Amino acid sequence: MWTRVWRQTARAAGAVRWYMTSLMGDSAYATYVAHQRRHHPDAPPVTERQFWRDRMDDQDRNPGARCC
């Protein structure tokens, strides 16, 4: 019984972790690289540093609905 409860708790914690990292954008670069490889295999993806720089610049130009 405790094993089942532990597995369910671990699964729920994993789901919460996935949601929070997705919400915060932690997996954005990995998603970008996967998209590039799938849809643009001949074009090399930008470096992670350049990706985040471009993303922050874009957010500064188009603030949308953010608080700050």
Side-chain angles (χ1 to χ4, degrees):
M1 178 177 145
W2 289 109
T3 306
R4 187 171 140 237
V5 170
W6 176 252
R7 267 189 257 139
Q8 289 175 338
T9 303
R11 186 174 183 208
V16 169
R17 182 180 182 280
W18 172 85
Y19 177 75
M20 291 304 292
T21 56
S22 295
L23 182 68
M24 299 303 289
D26 292 350
S27 60
Y29 182 71
T31 302
Y32 158 74
V33 170
H35 169 85
Q36 282 294 107
R37 287 186 179 148
R38 230 180 357 264
H39 297 282
H40 311 283
D42 53 327
V46 298
T47 64
E48 187 170 5
R49 181 181 179 132
Q50 187 62 44
F51 171 81
W52 287 111
R53 184 178 293 140
D54 292 346
R55 184 176 168 128
M56 294 301 122
D57 289 346
D58 185 54
Q59 287 179 348
D60 287 342
R61 282 190 304 273
N62 307 304
R66 60 179 191 186
C67 67
C68 310

